[in-house]
């Protein structure tokens, strides 16, 4: 390999560079990021939403790391197109940059819900530092904030804004919050905690329209109810950034289609992180982006490796509550469930074919480490009588087997 070009400056890109530099200290690496900041930790944006964000404090790596690892980084530079037949990327200034191998790590954008008025002044979404700063500035003069989407990001923003004294409403189209990760009991506990902090939950509610003359003044629900608000923030899923692939034969579906080596249908082009699609799935999760970047990096330099499915994990620390969910927690045929509830604590373990496939933990994070490890190991539980074992006893048995 003579020159590697990486499009995008997120954690997947940095992970790919680290994997390559484990074995190859000499190859040329050029990284193109469209933001003006060095690669930073996006996860921390929602947690510090009302702070004066100093990007240097949330960098993925210090600035000197790029010089130390011989990485040529181009900030505020957008790749607008790819010419895979000539092994070139095209920049926003028209310049063509050649590559021997190419990594697409250009991520995704937040998907705007189909709501009339979603483009009005006072409507935001959070993806980049500039979004965070714009939200903070507008929120300083706002009192009633509508959060559209009851997932982790939406709830973290709701928590931060409520702590800043804002009147917050969370609209979730599904019957309860975090519908993809939690069961009904966990949702009840979470919702009770959210309400304790004077946040109104509009569960099972669609937003049909954002109304106002020049800016947001109110919203209308699917049931026709009109409510006042002077700011709205949506967090309703992501869409991979595929624009730069227009006119190419690089295979796409929801995202850029890759194999388990993170290769596209062009052997010298790889895709990782939020922009990629593997086995008909897109992921949008931090640990998966890290692993995919690593696998791509290894394969690029001939250290053959394949991506092993990482079990999805989510964590929420807000509203005076710690929450952890991992794996498959759907109540389906052929599963056993061991659960335990006590005040604000709740633990549920999902078992199939005598192997733990999912877990929800609220309150007692000490057990989450053991359960996460058991799920990753596909730990066989043997002839355990699941109908007559407590969660505490199960944890003891798991530890003895580990």
């Amino acid at each position: 390999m003579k020159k590697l070009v990486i499009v995008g400056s997120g954690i997947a890109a940095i992970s790919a560079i680290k994997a390559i530099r484990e074995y190859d200290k000499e190859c040329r690496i050029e990284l193109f990021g469209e933001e003006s900041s060095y690669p930073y930790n996006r996860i921390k944006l929602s947690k510090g939403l009302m702070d004066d964000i100093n990007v240097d404090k949330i960098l993925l790596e210090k600035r000197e790391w790029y010089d130390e690892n011989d990485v040529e980084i181009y900030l505020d530079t957008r790749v607008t197109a790819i010419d895979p037949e000539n092994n070139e990327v095209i920049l926003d200034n028209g310049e063509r940059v050649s590559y021997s191998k190419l990594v697409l790590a250009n991520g995704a954008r937040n998907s705007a819900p189909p709501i009339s008025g979603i483009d009005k002044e006072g409507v935001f979404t959070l993806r980049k530092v500039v979004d965070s700063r714009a939200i903070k500035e507008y929120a300083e003069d706002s009192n009633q904030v509508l959060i559209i989407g009851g997932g982790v990001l939406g709830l973290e923003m709701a928590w931060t804004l409520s702590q800043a004294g804002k009147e917050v409403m969370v609209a979730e189209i599904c019957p309860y919050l975090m519908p993809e990760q939690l069961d009904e009991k966990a949702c009840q506990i979470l919702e009770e905690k959210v309400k304790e902090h004077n946040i109104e939950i509009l569960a099972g509610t669609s937003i049909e329209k954002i109304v106002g003359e020049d800016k947001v003044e109110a919203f209308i629900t699917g049931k026709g109810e009109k409510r006042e608000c002077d700011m709205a923030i949506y967090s309703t899923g992501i869409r991979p950034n595929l624009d730069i692939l227009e006119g190419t034969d690089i295979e796409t579906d929801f995202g850029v289609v890759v194999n388990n080596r993170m290769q596209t249908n062009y052997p010298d082009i790889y895709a990782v992180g939020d922009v990629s699609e593997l086995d008909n799935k897109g992921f949008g999760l931090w640990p998966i982006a890290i692993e995919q970047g690593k696998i791509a990096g290894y394969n690029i330099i001939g250290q053959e490796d394949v991506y092993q499915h990482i079990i999805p994990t989510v964590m929420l620390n807000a509203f005076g509550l710690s929450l952890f969910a991992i794996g498959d927690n759907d109540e389906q045929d052929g599963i056993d469930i061991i659960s335990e509830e006590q005040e604000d604590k709740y633990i549920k373990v999902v078992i199939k074919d005598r192997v733990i496939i999912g877990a929800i933990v609220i309150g007692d994070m000490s057990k989450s480490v053991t359960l996460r490890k058991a799920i990753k190991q596909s730990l066989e539980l043997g002839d355990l009588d699941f109908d007559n074992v407590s969660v505490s006893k199960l944890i003891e048995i798991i530890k003895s087997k580990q």
Side-chain angles (χ1 to χ4, degrees), residues 192-350:
E192 288 172 6
K193 279 293 183 181
V194 173
K195 290 175 181 177
E196 285 178 10
H197 290 82
N198 298 317
I199 295 171
E200 185 178 358
I201 299 172
L202 306 175
T205 300
S206 63
I207 305 300
E208 292 297 311
K209 189 175 184 179
I210 304 291
V211 296
E213 289 293 331
D214 299 321
K215 57 185 180 181
V216 176
E217 295 176 4
F219 63 92
I220 299 174
T221 72
K223 296 178 181 179
E225 181 184 7
K226 185 176 181 179
R227 300 284 301 275
E228 290 185 355
C229 71
D230 50 17
M231 183 177 185
I233 309 172
Y234 63 84
S235 176
T236 54
I238 61 174
R239 299 292 300 180
N241 292 321
L242 303 181
D243 297 354
I244 64 174
L245 305 182
E246 289 182 8
T248 75
D249 292 325
I250 298 172
E251 186 181 355
T252 63
D253 187 16
F254 173 75
V256 181
V257 177
V258 295
N259 60 22
N260 61 6
R261 299 179 188 276
M262 309 315 298
Q263 284 176 305
T264 68
N265 55 316
Y266 283 77
D268 290 333
I269 301 178
Y270 296 73
V272 294
D274 294 356
V275 78
S276 69
E277 176 185 332
L278 176 63
D279 296 332
N280 300 311
K281 294 180 182 178
F283 300 97
L285 292 173
W286 189 265
I288 291 176
I290 292 173
E291 184 67 13
Q292 289 185 346
K294 183 179 75 172
I295 296 302
Y298 286 156
N299 283 294
I300 283 168
I301 55 172
Q303 297 291 325
E304 294 188 3
D305 204 348
V306 296
Y307 175 80
Q308 302 291 338
H309 178 59
I310 289 182
I311 300 165
T313 304
V314 295
M315 297 184 70
L316 176 69
N317 288 293
F319 316 105
L321 194 73
S322 295
L323 183 152
F324 166 87
I326 184 171
D328 187 353
N329 290 299
D330 290 337
E331 298 192 7
Q332 52 190 283
D333 293 336
I335 66 168
D336 293 284
I337 293 176
I338 301 174
S339 64
E340 185 177 283
E341 182 183 356
Q342 182 181 2
E343 295 182 358
D344 293 336
K345 295 181 179 180
Y346 174 65
I347 300 177
K348 172 184 174 180
V349 183
V350 181

Side-chain angles (χ1 to χ4, degrees), residues 362-374:
I362 296 178
D364 188 354
M365 290 297 105
S366 64
K367 293 182 173 61
S368 65
V369 177
T370 302
L371 290 168
R372 186 206 300 260
K373 189 175 179 181

Side-chain angles (χ1 to χ4, degrees), residues 92-137:
D92 49 4
N93 63 4
E95 181 183 350
R96 286 177 170 262
V97 178
S98 65
Y99 64 81
S100 302
K101 293 187 185 294
L102 173 67
V103 175
L104 300 175
N106 52 315
R109 62 189 180 278
N110 289 355
S111 181
I115 298 172
S116 175
I118 197 69
D119 56 349
K120 283 188 180 296
E121 179 185 336
V123 180
F124 299 86
T125 192
L126 179 61
R127 186 76 185 177
K128 303 176 181 178
V129 164
V130 292
D131 300 326
S132 177
R133 289 171 175 159
I135 290 171
K136 178 182 181 296
E137 181 179 354

Side-chain angles (χ1 to χ4, degrees), residues 45-47 49-50 110 124-127 131-132 135 145-149 151-164 166 168 170 199 232-236 316 318-319:
L45 293 181
S46 57
K47 296 177 176 62
L49 192 61
M50 297 303 290
N110 289 355
F124 299 86
T125 192
L126 179 61
R127 186 76 185 177
D131 300 326
S132 177
I135 290 171
V145 185
L146 170 67
I147 304 292
I148 305 172
V152 171
L153 181 58
L155 291 174
E156 286 180 342
M157 291 189 290
W159 166 246
T160 303
L161 289 163
S162 70
Q163 293 293 98
K166 308 302 176 182
V168 181
V170 178
I199 295 171
I233 309 172
Y234 63 84
S235 176
T236 54
L316 176 69
F319 316 105

